[in-house]
Amino acid sequence: MHPEMQIKLIADTLLPGFIPKDQNERELTFHFTIPPNKSYKVYYQKDKKNEWTFISYESVEY
């Protein structure tokens, strides 16, 4: 398992590729894998300034 700060940093870096086209969306989730085989699902919400904020993550087993 990776530290939360590392997961958040990676997720924040990947975030621009997952931002919904619909400006009214308030939540989003996406998965990513840290080689060799650790996958995570991350959760974001839009704050009052319309900026995406990291909320949480969970480890995903395949």
Side-chain angles (χ1 to χ4, degrees), residues 2-3 7 9 12-13 21 25-27 32-33 36-39 42-43 45 47 55 57-60:
H2 295 85
I7 294 167
L9 179 64
D12 285 348
T13 300
K21 303 266 188 253
E25 291 288 334
R26 308 299 299 166
E27 298 179 352
F32 65 90
T33 301
N37 60 0
K38 282 292 190 185
S39 295
V42 292
Y43 300 85
Q45 286 183 339
D47 63 18
I55 300 299
Y57 74 95
E58 62 186 60
S59 180
V60 178

Side-chain angles (χ1 to χ4, degrees), residues 3-15:
E4 181 174 359
M5 287 304 298
Q6 182 180 15
I7 294 167
K8 180 185 180 310
L9 179 64
I10 293 168
D12 285 348
T13 300
L14 297 172
L15 177 63

